[in-house]
Amino acid sequence: MNHGEAWSSGGRRGSRGRSQPSGQWVIRQKSETPVTVDKSLDESSGNRGRGSRGRGGSRTSCSPRNSYGRGNDEQSPVQVYVNKSNVGFVEKGVQQNRKSQDYLIGSTKQPDDGAAGLNSSGDNKAVLQSKSTNVSGGLFVSGECEAKGVKEGAKMHCDVLNRMKDVTLSCQESVSPTSDKKVELSIVEDHKSAPKADRAGNSSKESSSSPFDIFLQKAVMGLKPSILELSREKRKAAKGYTGSVIRPGMVLLKNYLSINDQVMIVNKCLQLGLGEGGFYQPGYRDEAKLHLKMMCLGKNWDPETCRYGEIRPIDGSTPPKIPAEFNQFVEKAVKESQSLAASNSKETKGVDGIPFMLPDICIVNFYTSTGRLGLHQDKDESENSIRKGLPVVSFSIGDSAEFLYGDQRDEDKAETLILESGDVLLFGGKSRSVFHGVRSIRKDTAPKALSQETSLRPGRLNLTFRQY
Ligand SMILES: O=C(O)CCC(=O)C(=O)O
Ligand SMILES: [Fe+2]
């Protein structure tokens, strides 16, 4: 998978593949054992420049996706809750070959978006062009715990608390198409001046293996949506979906997933996300963190090596299987896109077909309102997959995203799509190697009905399906 995203500098992760018993730090609004922590403890709350350009030299060098926005520097206390259950992992091994992904990284300062924020929906506009502006931030804490009761030798660093930063990171290769070996990570204050690119986005020093709870307790979810809002959403849902060919090989199915489908997907992600191989804070080899939380299904994508594997090296966990229902949606969406692309290429007399694919990988990203993902290419799947142009299929759920795409890793030249909850975007064929990323998340744009039916945190859930 390649998620474009945000990284942030931060705490060093353990060396790859080490066995890392991890106490679970779950960020919830209401839970057990509240602990008040002073954010100033978080060394990483500052914007640490990564600038690991040119390092590495491994052919699998990752390039962070663009991430703008780093965390803020506020010193106010953060309340965190410790989930007492611990997860033990078995060290396995073996990574499959993956080619590196191209990501641009960048980051910008962004205010926190409280973890307990409310979702409010808004009408989504269709496709549009725009330049992004960073708006908000999220408050997150995490840590590595040396949990009692975890396997022996486990140490807890409950002092490692983090704020989620907007630094979007990604595995990013050098911008130069000819230099495969460079890795470029950086954090900048302003995305305009940022070296961009990177895939999930987040803060530093969080424990990379700490499960992250993307859900809120109902009790704190807040205001009920108005009847007006709900009926507006119902009307929109009743209209069904519309498909359009954005460019050869790229198809957007707007409003494709019904609210019921979205609820099912969210709930499944909730369940999987808290178990083995669930959501965690991904980071790159140079400690930069993606600006998002991630969970892999089917196979693990490792941001440190930009390879797929059967286990997650950071904690030895095995990725959950892709739920069959998810794959059914993907299959349908691919067929739908194929026929749209076929009729389009008849009109244009071009050859912009989309091959069929059966996903064996799903990368699930959760973006808070400050999440982002730098411009990157998804190119860590097998050579065969890329060569044939097997499509990447992306589901958007929750808050809308400003999605960028283009032929170069250059934001100023990129086109923008607004991906709303329920939209499915597919890029394969001639667009398989398109640069893409998430510039920003639009706060409070998730459908009210979704927040009513699930306890998804404010933010955006994105699932990208691929065939290795
Ligand atoms: O969140 C998105 O829409 C894009 C994610 C992505 O590009 C990726 O996961 O590789
Ligand atoms: Fe991607």
mmCIF file with all atom_site columns, all heavy atoms in Angstrom, residues 1-4 65 103 199 363 365 367 373 376 378 394 396 403 419 436 438 460 462 464 466, ligand 1:
data_model
loop_
_atom_site.group_PDB
_atom_site.id
_atom_site.type_symbol
_atom_site.label_atom_id
_atom_site.label_alt_id
_atom_site.label_comp_id
_atom_site.label_asym_id
_atom_site.label_entity_id
_atom_site.label_seq_id
_atom_site.pdbx_PDB_ins_code
_atom_site.Cartn_x
_atom_site.Cartn_y
_atom_site.Cartn_z
_atom_site.occupancy
_atom_site.B_iso_or_equiv
_atom_site.pdbx_formal_charge
_atom_site.auth_seq_id
_atom_site.auth_comp_id
_atom_site.auth_asym_id
_atom_site.auth_atom_id
_atom_site.pdbx_PDB_model_num
ATOM   1   N N   . MET A 1 1   ? 0.816   -1.155 0.000  1.00 0.00 ? 1   MET A N   1
ATOM   2   C CA  . MET A 1 1   ? 0.000   0.000  0.000  1.00 0.00 ? 1   MET A CA  1
ATOM   3   C C   . MET A 1 1   ? 0.856   1.212  0.000  1.00 0.00 ? 1   MET A C   1
ATOM   4   O O   . MET A 1 1   ? 1.973   1.200  0.414  1.00 0.00 ? 1   MET A O   1
ATOM   5   C CB  . MET A 1 1   ? -0.740  0.074  1.275  1.00 0.00 ? 1   MET A CB  1
ATOM   6   C CG  . MET A 1 1   ? -0.044  1.115  2.104  1.00 0.00 ? 1   MET A CG  1
ATOM   7   S SD  . MET A 1 1   ? -0.733  1.436  3.583  1.00 0.00 ? 1   MET A SD  1
ATOM   8   C CE  . MET A 1 1   ? -0.058  2.954  3.890  1.00 0.00 ? 1   MET A CE  1
ATOM   9   N N   . ASN A 1 2   ? 0.394   2.170  -0.381 1.00 0.00 ? 2   ASN A N   1
ATOM   10  C CA  . ASN A 1 2   ? 1.104   3.373  -0.172 1.00 0.00 ? 2   ASN A CA  1
ATOM   11  C C   . ASN A 1 2   ? 0.158   4.398  0.288  1.00 0.00 ? 2   ASN A C   1
ATOM   12  O O   . ASN A 1 2   ? -0.629  4.891  -0.443 1.00 0.00 ? 2   ASN A O   1
ATOM   13  C CB  . ASN A 1 2   ? 1.678   3.858  -1.468 1.00 0.00 ? 2   ASN A CB  1
ATOM   14  C CG  . ASN A 1 2   ? 3.117   3.844  -1.379 1.00 0.00 ? 2   ASN A CG  1
ATOM   15  O OD1 . ASN A 1 2   ? 3.610   3.675  -0.301 1.00 0.00 ? 2   ASN A OD1 1
ATOM   16  N ND2 . ASN A 1 2   ? 3.766   4.019  -2.465 1.00 0.00 ? 2   ASN A ND2 1
ATOM   17  N N   . HIS A 1 3   ? 0.287   4.733  1.413  1.00 0.00 ? 3   HIS A N   1
ATOM   18  C CA  . HIS A 1 3   ? -0.554  5.802  1.847  1.00 0.00 ? 3   HIS A CA  1
ATOM   19  C C   . HIS A 1 3   ? 0.315   7.007  1.777  1.00 0.00 ? 3   HIS A C   1
ATOM   20  O O   . HIS A 1 3   ? 1.407   6.967  2.268  1.00 0.00 ? 3   HIS A O   1
ATOM   21  C CB  . HIS A 1 3   ? -0.944  5.701  3.276  1.00 0.00 ? 3   HIS A CB  1
ATOM   22  C CG  . HIS A 1 3   ? -1.454  4.398  3.639  1.00 0.00 ? 3   HIS A CG  1
ATOM   23  N ND1 . HIS A 1 3   ? -1.617  4.020  4.907  1.00 0.00 ? 3   HIS A ND1 1
ATOM   24  C CD2 . HIS A 1 3   ? -1.851  3.374  2.896  1.00 0.00 ? 3   HIS A CD2 1
ATOM   25  C CE1 . HIS A 1 3   ? -2.100  2.822  4.948  1.00 0.00 ? 3   HIS A CE1 1
ATOM   26  N NE2 . HIS A 1 3   ? -2.258  2.411  3.743  1.00 0.00 ? 3   HIS A NE2 1
ATOM   27  N N   . GLY A 1 4   ? -0.174  7.991  1.324  1.00 0.00 ? 4   GLY A N   1
ATOM   28  C CA  . GLY A 1 4   ? 0.560   9.231  1.438  1.00 0.00 ? 4   GLY A CA  1
ATOM   29  C C   . GLY A 1 4   ? 0.233   9.693  2.810  1.00 0.00 ? 4   GLY A C   1
ATOM   30  O O   . GLY A 1 4   ? -0.882  9.557  3.211  1.00 0.00 ? 4   GLY A O   1
ATOM   31  N N   . ARG A 1 65  ? 5.437   10.562 2.598  1.00 0.00 ? 65  ARG A N   1
ATOM   32  C CA  . ARG A 1 65  ? 4.514   11.335 1.803  1.00 0.00 ? 65  ARG A CA  1
ATOM   33  C C   . ARG A 1 65  ? 4.413   12.670 2.429  1.00 0.00 ? 65  ARG A C   1
ATOM   34  O O   . ARG A 1 65  ? 4.742   12.876 3.558  1.00 0.00 ? 65  ARG A O   1
ATOM   35  C CB  . ARG A 1 65  ? 3.155   10.699 1.864  1.00 0.00 ? 65  ARG A CB  1
ATOM   36  C CG  . ARG A 1 65  ? 3.278   9.315  1.491  1.00 0.00 ? 65  ARG A CG  1
ATOM   37  C CD  . ARG A 1 65  ? 2.009   8.743  1.802  1.00 0.00 ? 65  ARG A CD  1
ATOM   38  N NE  . ARG A 1 65  ? 2.117   7.367  2.011  1.00 0.00 ? 65  ARG A NE  1
ATOM   39  C CZ  . ARG A 1 65  ? 1.033   6.655  2.104  1.00 0.00 ? 65  ARG A CZ  1
ATOM   40  N NH1 . ARG A 1 65  ? -0.125  7.219  1.990  1.00 0.00 ? 65  ARG A NH1 1
ATOM   41  N NH2 . ARG A 1 65  ? 1.139   5.409  2.306  1.00 0.00 ? 65  ARG A NH2 1
ATOM   42  N N   . TYR A 1 103 ? 7.032   9.214  -1.702 1.00 0.00 ? 103 TYR A N   1
ATOM   43  C CA  . TYR A 1 103 ? 6.246   10.098 -0.888 1.00 0.00 ? 103 TYR A CA  1
ATOM   44  C C   . TYR A 1 103 ? 6.964   11.410 -0.706 1.00 0.00 ? 103 TYR A C   1
ATOM   45  O O   . TYR A 1 103 ? 8.162   11.444 -0.585 1.00 0.00 ? 103 TYR A O   1
ATOM   46  C CB  . TYR A 1 103 ? 6.053   9.539  0.511  1.00 0.00 ? 103 TYR A CB  1
ATOM   47  C CG  . TYR A 1 103 ? 5.283   8.285  0.526  1.00 0.00 ? 103 TYR A CG  1
ATOM   48  C CD1 . TYR A 1 103 ? 5.880   7.108  0.922  1.00 0.00 ? 103 TYR A CD1 1
ATOM   49  C CD2 . TYR A 1 103 ? 3.969   8.298  0.147  1.00 0.00 ? 103 TYR A CD2 1
ATOM   50  C CE1 . TYR A 1 103 ? 5.154   5.954  0.965  1.00 0.00 ? 103 TYR A CE1 1
ATOM   51  C CE2 . TYR A 1 103 ? 3.238   7.140  0.192  1.00 0.00 ? 103 TYR A CE2 1
ATOM   52  C CZ  . TYR A 1 103 ? 3.834   5.966  0.592  1.00 0.00 ? 103 TYR A CZ  1
ATOM   53  O OH  . TYR A 1 103 ? 3.112   4.832  0.647  1.00 0.00 ? 103 TYR A OH  1
ATOM   54  N N   . ARG A 1 199 ? 3.164   9.750  3.663  1.00 0.00 ? 199 ARG A N   1
ATOM   55  C CA  . ARG A 1 199 ? 1.962   8.985  3.707  1.00 0.00 ? 199 ARG A CA  1
ATOM   56  C C   . ARG A 1 199 ? 1.173   9.078  4.994  1.00 0.00 ? 199 ARG A C   1
ATOM   57  O O   . ARG A 1 199 ? 0.757   9.853  5.383  1.00 0.00 ? 199 ARG A O   1
ATOM   58  C CB  . ARG A 1 199 ? 2.387   7.579  3.459  1.00 0.00 ? 199 ARG A CB  1
ATOM   59  C CG  . ARG A 1 199 ? 1.400   6.659  3.523  1.00 0.00 ? 199 ARG A CG  1
ATOM   60  C CD  . ARG A 1 199 ? 2.109   5.361  3.394  1.00 0.00 ? 199 ARG A CD  1
ATOM   61  N NE  . ARG A 1 199 ? 1.606   4.497  4.347  1.00 0.00 ? 199 ARG A NE  1
ATOM   62  C CZ  . ARG A 1 199 ? 0.459   3.986  4.307  1.00 0.00 ? 199 ARG A CZ  1
ATOM   63  N NH1 . ARG A 1 199 ? -0.294  4.236  3.328  1.00 0.00 ? 199 ARG A NH1 1
ATOM   64  N NH2 . ARG A 1 199 ? 0.048   3.211  5.222  1.00 0.00 ? 199 ARG A NH2 1
ATOM   65  N N   . ILE A 1 363 ? -4.942  -1.368 3.180  1.00 0.00 ? 363 ILE A N   1
ATOM   66  C CA  . ILE A 1 363 ? -4.316  -0.488 4.162  1.00 0.00 ? 363 ILE A CA  1
ATOM   67  C C   . ILE A 1 363 ? -5.380  0.469  4.664  1.00 0.00 ? 363 ILE A C   1
ATOM   68  O O   . ILE A 1 363 ? -6.033  1.160  3.883  1.00 0.00 ? 363 ILE A O   1
ATOM   69  C CB  . ILE A 1 363 ? -3.123  0.265  3.568  1.00 0.00 ? 363 ILE A CB  1
ATOM   70  C CG1 . ILE A 1 363 ? -2.081  -0.778 3.139  1.00 0.00 ? 363 ILE A CG1 1
ATOM   71  C CG2 . ILE A 1 363 ? -2.523  1.213  4.589  1.00 0.00 ? 363 ILE A CG2 1
ATOM   72  C CD1 . ILE A 1 363 ? -0.886  -0.211 2.481  1.00 0.00 ? 363 ILE A CD1 1
ATOM   73  N N   . ASN A 1 365 ? -6.201  3.655  6.818  1.00 0.00 ? 365 ASN A N   1
ATOM   74  C CA  . ASN A 1 365 ? -5.626  4.860  7.422  1.00 0.00 ? 365 ASN A CA  1
ATOM   75  C C   . ASN A 1 365 ? -6.698  5.580  8.204  1.00 0.00 ? 365 ASN A C   1
ATOM   76  O O   . ASN A 1 365 ? -7.835  5.708  7.731  1.00 0.00 ? 365 ASN A O   1
ATOM   77  C CB  . ASN A 1 365 ? -5.156  5.839  6.340  1.00 0.00 ? 365 ASN A CB  1
ATOM   78  C CG  . ASN A 1 365 ? -4.025  5.304  5.509  1.00 0.00 ? 365 ASN A CG  1
ATOM   79  O OD1 . ASN A 1 365 ? -3.128  4.648  6.016  1.00 0.00 ? 365 ASN A OD1 1
ATOM   80  N ND2 . ASN A 1 365 ? -4.063  5.584  4.213  1.00 0.00 ? 365 ASN A ND2 1
ATOM   81  N N   . TYR A 1 367 ? -7.216  9.344  9.638  1.00 0.00 ? 367 TYR A N   1
ATOM   82  C CA  . TYR A 1 367 ? -6.692  10.706 9.712  1.00 0.00 ? 367 TYR A CA  1
ATOM   83  C C   . TYR A 1 367 ? -7.527  11.502 10.713 1.00 0.00 ? 367 TYR A C   1
ATOM   84  O O   . TYR A 1 367 ? -8.745  11.495 10.629 1.00 0.00 ? 367 TYR A O   1
ATOM   85  C CB  . TYR A 1 367 ? -6.847  11.446 8.383  1.00 0.00 ? 367 TYR A CB  1
ATOM   86  C CG  . TYR A 1 367 ? -6.203  10.830 7.163  1.00 0.00 ? 367 TYR A CG  1
ATOM   87  C CD1 . TYR A 1 367 ? -6.818  9.796  6.469  1.00 0.00 ? 367 TYR A CD1 1
ATOM   88  C CD2 . TYR A 1 367 ? -5.007  11.333 6.671  1.00 0.00 ? 367 TYR A CD2 1
ATOM   89  C CE1 . TYR A 1 367 ? -6.238  9.265  5.319  1.00 0.00 ? 367 TYR A CE1 1
ATOM   90  C CE2 . TYR A 1 367 ? -4.417  10.815 5.526  1.00 0.00 ? 367 TYR A CE2 1
ATOM   91  C CZ  . TYR A 1 367 ? -5.049  9.776  4.858  1.00 0.00 ? 367 TYR A CZ  1
ATOM   92  O OH  . TYR A 1 367 ? -4.478  9.252  3.722  1.00 0.00 ? 367 TYR A OH  1
ATOM   93  N N   . LEU A 1 373 ? -1.229  13.319 4.016  1.00 0.00 ? 373 LEU A N   1
ATOM   94  C CA  . LEU A 1 373 ? -0.362  12.330 3.392  1.00 0.00 ? 373 LEU A CA  1
ATOM   95  C C   . LEU A 1 373 ? 0.290   12.980 2.190  1.00 0.00 ? 373 LEU A C   1
ATOM   96  O O   . LEU A 1 373 ? -0.391  13.497 1.323  1.00 0.00 ? 373 LEU A O   1
ATOM   97  C CB  . LEU A 1 373 ? -1.229  11.140 2.966  1.00 0.00 ? 373 LEU A CB  1
ATOM   98  C CG  . LEU A 1 373 ? -0.537  9.928  2.404  1.00 0.00 ? 373 LEU A CG  1
ATOM   99  C CD1 . LEU A 1 373 ? 0.467   9.375  3.386  1.00 0.00 ? 373 LEU A CD1 1
ATOM   100 C CD2 . LEU A 1 373 ? -1.570  8.854  2.109  1.00 0.00 ? 373 LEU A CD2 1
ATOM   101 N N   . HIS A 1 376 ? 2.751   10.910 -3.302 1.00 0.00 ? 376 HIS A N   1
ATOM   102 C CA  . HIS A 1 376 ? 3.552   9.691  -3.426 1.00 0.00 ? 376 HIS A CA  1
ATOM   103 C C   . HIS A 1 376 ? 2.957   8.815  -4.521 1.00 0.00 ? 376 HIS A C   1
ATOM   104 O O   . HIS A 1 376 ? 1.861   9.072  -5.006 1.00 0.00 ? 376 HIS A O   1
ATOM   105 C CB  . HIS A 1 376 ? 3.549   8.924  -2.100 1.00 0.00 ? 376 HIS A CB  1
ATOM   106 C CG  . HIS A 1 376 ? 2.196   8.400  -1.736 1.00 0.00 ? 376 HIS A CG  1
ATOM   107 N ND1 . HIS A 1 376 ? 1.219   9.179  -1.145 1.00 0.00 ? 376 HIS A ND1 1
ATOM   108 C CD2 . HIS A 1 376 ? 1.640   7.176  -1.897 1.00 0.00 ? 376 HIS A CD2 1
ATOM   109 C CE1 . HIS A 1 376 ? 0.140   8.459  -0.960 1.00 0.00 ? 376 HIS A CE1 1
ATOM   110 N NE2 . HIS A 1 376 ? 0.359   7.236  -1.407 1.00 0.00 ? 376 HIS A NE2 1
ATOM   111 N N   . ASP A 1 378 ? 2.012   4.728  -5.291 1.00 0.00 ? 378 ASP A N   1
ATOM   112 C CA  . ASP A 1 378 ? 1.879   3.416  -4.667 1.00 0.00 ? 378 ASP A CA  1
ATOM   113 C C   . ASP A 1 378 ? 2.653   2.452  -5.546 1.00 0.00 ? 378 ASP A C   1
ATOM   114 O O   . ASP A 1 378 ? 2.182   2.072  -6.620 1.00 0.00 ? 378 ASP A O   1
ATOM   115 C CB  . ASP A 1 378 ? 0.401   2.990  -4.612 1.00 0.00 ? 378 ASP A CB  1
ATOM   116 C CG  . ASP A 1 378 ? -0.377  3.801  -3.594 1.00 0.00 ? 378 ASP A CG  1
ATOM   117 O OD1 . ASP A 1 378 ? 0.219   4.663  -2.937 1.00 0.00 ? 378 ASP A OD1 1
ATOM   118 O OD2 . ASP A 1 378 ? -1.585  3.568  -3.467 1.00 0.00 ? 378 ASP A OD2 1
ATOM   119 N N   . SER A 1 394 ? -9.845  2.873  -3.424 1.00 0.00 ? 394 SER A N   1
ATOM   120 C CA  . SER A 1 394 ? -9.805  3.629  -2.172 1.00 0.00 ? 394 SER A CA  1
ATOM   121 C C   . SER A 1 394 ? -11.215 4.004  -1.698 1.00 0.00 ? 394 SER A C   1
ATOM   122 O O   . SER A 1 394 ? -11.996 4.593  -2.440 1.00 0.00 ? 394 SER A O   1
ATOM   123 C CB  . SER A 1 394 ? -8.965  4.885  -2.438 1.00 0.00 ? 394 SER A CB  1
ATOM   124 O OG  . SER A 1 394 ? -9.214  5.861  -1.475 1.00 0.00 ? 394 SER A OG  1
ATOM   125 N N   . SER A 1 396 ? -13.460 6.127  1.048  1.00 0.00 ? 396 SER A N   1
ATOM   126 C CA  . SER A 1 396 ? -13.392 7.243  1.990  1.00 0.00 ? 396 SER A CA  1
ATOM   127 C C   . SER A 1 396 ? -14.616 7.215  2.903  1.00 0.00 ? 396 SER A C   1
ATOM   128 O O   . SER A 1 396 ? -15.748 7.120  2.424  1.00 0.00 ? 396 SER A O   1
ATOM   129 C CB  . SER A 1 396 ? -13.375 8.581  1.250  1.00 0.00 ? 396 SER A CB  1
ATOM   130 O OG  . SER A 1 396 ? -12.192 8.708  0.505  1.00 0.00 ? 396 SER A OG  1
ATOM   131 N N   . PHE A 1 403 ? -7.968  15.635 -1.738 1.00 0.00 ? 403 PHE A N   1
ATOM   132 C CA  . PHE A 1 403 ? -7.092  14.621 -2.320 1.00 0.00 ? 403 PHE A CA  1
ATOM   133 C C   . PHE A 1 403 ? -6.388  15.222 -3.525 1.00 0.00 ? 403 PHE A C   1
ATOM   134 O O   . PHE A 1 403 ? -7.020  15.813 -4.391 1.00 0.00 ? 403 PHE A O   1
ATOM   135 C CB  . PHE A 1 403 ? -7.967  13.428 -2.721 1.00 0.00 ? 403 PHE A CB  1
ATOM   136 C CG  . PHE A 1 403 ? -7.220  12.295 -3.348 1.00 0.00 ? 403 PHE A CG  1
ATOM   137 C CD1 . PHE A 1 403 ? -6.652  11.295 -2.565 1.00 0.00 ? 403 PHE A CD1 1
ATOM   138 C CD2 . PHE A 1 403 ? -7.091  12.206 -4.733 1.00 0.00 ? 403 PHE A CD2 1
ATOM   139 C CE1 . PHE A 1 403 ? -5.969  10.230 -3.146 1.00 0.00 ? 403 PHE A CE1 1
ATOM   140 C CE2 . PHE A 1 403 ? -6.409  11.141 -5.326 1.00 0.00 ? 403 PHE A CE2 1
ATOM   141 C CZ  . PHE A 1 403 ? -5.851  10.154 -4.516 1.00 0.00 ? 403 PHE A CZ  1
ATOM   142 N N   . LEU A 1 419 ? -12.789 14.148 -1.650 1.00 0.00 ? 419 LEU A N   1
ATOM   143 C CA  . LEU A 1 419 ? -13.323 12.810 -1.419 1.00 0.00 ? 419 LEU A CA  1
ATOM   144 C C   . LEU A 1 419 ? -14.197 12.851 -0.173 1.00 0.00 ? 419 LEU A C   1
ATOM   145 O O   . LEU A 1 419 ? -13.729 13.171 0.926  1.00 0.00 ? 419 LEU A O   1
ATOM   146 C CB  . LEU A 1 419 ? -12.186 11.805 -1.243 1.00 0.00 ? 419 LEU A CB  1
ATOM   147 C CG  . LEU A 1 419 ? -11.282 11.606 -2.461 1.00 0.00 ? 419 LEU A CG  1
ATOM   148 C CD1 . LEU A 1 419 ? -10.202 10.567 -2.185 1.00 0.00 ? 419 LEU A CD1 1
ATOM   149 C CD2 . LEU A 1 419 ? -12.106 11.202 -3.691 1.00 0.00 ? 419 LEU A CD2 1
ATOM   150 N N   . HIS A 1 436 ? -0.188  10.938 -5.727 1.00 0.00 ? 436 HIS A N   1
ATOM   151 C CA  . HIS A 1 436 ? -1.406  11.304 -5.017 1.00 0.00 ? 436 HIS A CA  1
ATOM   152 C C   . HIS A 1 436 ? -1.101  11.491 -3.540 1.00 0.00 ? 436 HIS A C   1
ATOM   153 O O   . HIS A 1 436 ? -0.076  11.028 -3.042 1.00 0.00 ? 436 HIS A O   1
ATOM   154 C CB  . HIS A 1 436 ? -2.483  10.228 -5.211 1.00 0.00 ? 436 HIS A CB  1
ATOM   155 C CG  . HIS A 1 436 ? -2.081  8.878  -4.701 1.00 0.00 ? 436 HIS A CG  1
ATOM   156 N ND1 . HIS A 1 436 ? -1.235  8.032  -5.400 1.00 0.00 ? 436 HIS A ND1 1
ATOM   157 C CD2 . HIS A 1 436 ? -2.374  8.229  -3.551 1.00 0.00 ? 436 HIS A CD2 1
ATOM   158 C CE1 . HIS A 1 436 ? -1.041  6.923  -4.719 1.00 0.00 ? 436 HIS A CE1 1
ATOM   159 N NE2 . HIS A 1 436 ? -1.716  7.012  -3.566 1.00 0.00 ? 436 HIS A NE2 1
ATOM   160 N N   . VAL A 1 438 ? -2.983  13.334 0.401  1.00 0.00 ? 438 VAL A N   1
ATOM   161 C CA  . VAL A 1 438 ? -4.104  14.014 1.063  1.00 0.00 ? 438 VAL A CA  1
ATOM   162 C C   . VAL A 1 438 ? -3.573  15.312 1.652  1.00 0.00 ? 438 VAL A C   1
ATOM   163 O O   . VAL A 1 438 ? -2.705  15.306 2.513  1.00 0.00 ? 438 VAL A O   1
ATOM   164 C CB  . VAL A 1 438 ? -4.712  13.122 2.171  1.00 0.00 ? 438 VAL A CB  1
ATOM   165 C CG1 . VAL A 1 438 ? -5.748  13.901 2.984  1.00 0.00 ? 438 VAL A CG1 1
ATOM   166 C CG2 . VAL A 1 438 ? -5.332  11.879 1.560  1.00 0.00 ? 438 VAL A CG2 1
ATOM   167 N N   . ARG A 1 460 ? -11.147 10.961 9.385  1.00 0.00 ? 460 ARG A N   1
ATOM   168 C CA  . ARG A 1 460 ? -11.444 10.238 8.141  1.00 0.00 ? 460 ARG A CA  1
ATOM   169 C C   . ARG A 1 460 ? -10.796 8.861  8.149  1.00 0.00 ? 460 ARG A C   1
ATOM   170 O O   . ARG A 1 460 ? -9.636  8.702  8.497  1.00 0.00 ? 460 ARG A O   1
ATOM   171 C CB  . ARG A 1 460 ? -10.906 11.035 6.963  1.00 0.00 ? 460 ARG A CB  1
ATOM   172 C CG  . ARG A 1 460 ? -10.956 10.299 5.635  1.00 0.00 ? 460 ARG A CG  1
ATOM   173 C CD  . ARG A 1 460 ? -10.566 11.231 4.519  1.00 0.00 ? 460 ARG A CD  1
ATOM   174 N NE  . ARG A 1 460 ? -10.611 10.586 3.228  1.00 0.00 ? 460 ARG A NE  1
ATOM   175 C CZ  . ARG A 1 460 ? -9.543  10.131 2.582  1.00 0.00 ? 460 ARG A CZ  1
ATOM   176 N NH1 . ARG A 1 460 ? -8.331  10.256 3.110  1.00 0.00 ? 460 ARG A NH1 1
ATOM   177 N NH2 . ARG A 1 460 ? -9.676  9.557  1.399  1.00 0.00 ? 460 ARG A NH2 1
ATOM   178 N N   . ASN A 1 462 ? -9.810  5.821  5.735  1.00 0.00 ? 462 ASN A N   1
ATOM   179 C CA  . ASN A 1 462 ? -9.572  5.521  4.324  1.00 0.00 ? 462 ASN A CA  1
ATOM   180 C C   . ASN A 1 462 ? -9.047  4.102  4.197  1.00 0.00 ? 462 ASN A C   1
ATOM   181 O O   . ASN A 1 462 ? -8.179  3.673  4.953  1.00 0.00 ? 462 ASN A O   1
ATOM   182 C CB  . ASN A 1 462 ? -8.544  6.500  3.729  1.00 0.00 ? 462 ASN A CB  1
ATOM   183 C CG  . ASN A 1 462 ? -8.070  6.058  2.363  1.00 0.00 ? 462 ASN A CG  1
ATOM   184 O OD1 . ASN A 1 462 ? -6.978  5.532  2.206  1.00 0.00 ? 462 ASN A OD1 1
ATOM   185 N ND2 . ASN A 1 462 ? -8.908  6.239  1.360  1.00 0.00 ? 462 ASN A ND2 1
ATOM   186 N N   . THR A 1 464 ? -7.479  1.491  1.417  1.00 0.00 ? 464 THR A N   1
ATOM   187 C CA  . THR A 1 464 ? -7.035  1.287  0.037  1.00 0.00 ? 464 THR A CA  1
ATOM   188 C C   . THR A 1 464 ? -6.726  -0.192 -0.159 1.00 0.00 ? 464 THR A C   1
ATOM   189 O O   . THR A 1 464 ? -5.976  -0.795 0.598  1.00 0.00 ? 464 THR A O   1
ATOM   190 C CB  . THR A 1 464 ? -5.788  2.115  -0.327 1.00 0.00 ? 464 THR A CB  1
ATOM   191 O OG1 . THR A 1 464 ? -4.798  1.954  0.667  1.00 0.00 ? 464 THR A OG1 1
ATOM   192 C CG2 . THR A 1 464 ? -6.115  3.576  -0.492 1.00 0.00 ? 464 THR A CG2 1
ATOM   193 N N   . ARG A 1 466 ? -5.440  -3.303 -2.577 1.00 0.00 ? 466 ARG A N   1
ATOM   194 C CA  . ARG A 1 466 ? -4.492  -3.584 -3.660 1.00 0.00 ? 466 ARG A CA  1
ATOM   195 C C   . ARG A 1 466 ? -4.294  -5.077 -3.807 1.00 0.00 ? 466 ARG A C   1
ATOM   196 O O   . ARG A 1 466 ? -4.542  -5.831 -2.872 1.00 0.00 ? 466 ARG A O   1
ATOM   197 C CB  . ARG A 1 466 ? -3.098  -3.010 -3.329 1.00 0.00 ? 466 ARG A CB  1
ATOM   198 C CG  . ARG A 1 466 ? -3.065  -1.566 -2.984 1.00 0.00 ? 466 ARG A CG  1
ATOM   199 C CD  . ARG A 1 466 ? -2.543  -1.350 -1.575 1.00 0.00 ? 466 ARG A CD  1
ATOM   200 N NE  . ARG A 1 466 ? -2.850  -0.009 -1.079 1.00 0.00 ? 466 ARG A NE  1
ATOM   201 C CZ  . ARG A 1 466 ? -2.058  1.032  -1.233 1.00 0.00 ? 466 ARG A CZ  1
ATOM   202 N NH1 . ARG A 1 466 ? -0.903  0.889  -1.842 1.00 0.00 ? 466 ARG A NH1 1
ATOM   203 N NH2 . ARG A 1 466 ? -2.401  2.218  -0.795 1.00 0.00 ? 466 ARG A NH2 1
HETATM 204 O O1  . LIG B 2 .   ? -6.262  8.547  2.127  1.00 0.00 ? 1   LIG B O1  1
HETATM 205 C C1  . LIG B 2 .   ? -6.256  8.523  0.905  1.00 0.00 ? 1   LIG B C1  1
HETATM 206 O O2  . LIG B 2 .   ? -7.193  8.921  0.229  1.00 0.00 ? 1   LIG B O2  1
HETATM 207 C C2  . LIG B 2 .   ? -5.032  8.039  0.168  1.00 0.00 ? 1   LIG B C2  1
HETATM 208 C C3  . LIG B 2 .   ? -4.305  6.974  0.870  1.00 0.00 ? 1   LIG B C3  1
HETATM 209 C C4  . LIG B 2 .   ? -3.139  6.522  0.102  1.00 0.00 ? 1   LIG B C4  1
HETATM 210 O O3  . LIG B 2 .   ? -2.746  7.087  -0.851 1.00 0.00 ? 1   LIG B O3  1
HETATM 211 C C5  . LIG B 2 .   ? -2.423  5.340  0.534  1.00 0.00 ? 1   LIG B C5  1
HETATM 212 O O4  . LIG B 2 .   ? -2.780  4.759  1.550  1.00 0.00 ? 1   LIG B O4  1
HETATM 213 O O5  . LIG B 2 .   ? -1.461  4.953  -0.142 1.00 0.00 ? 1   LIG B O5  1
#
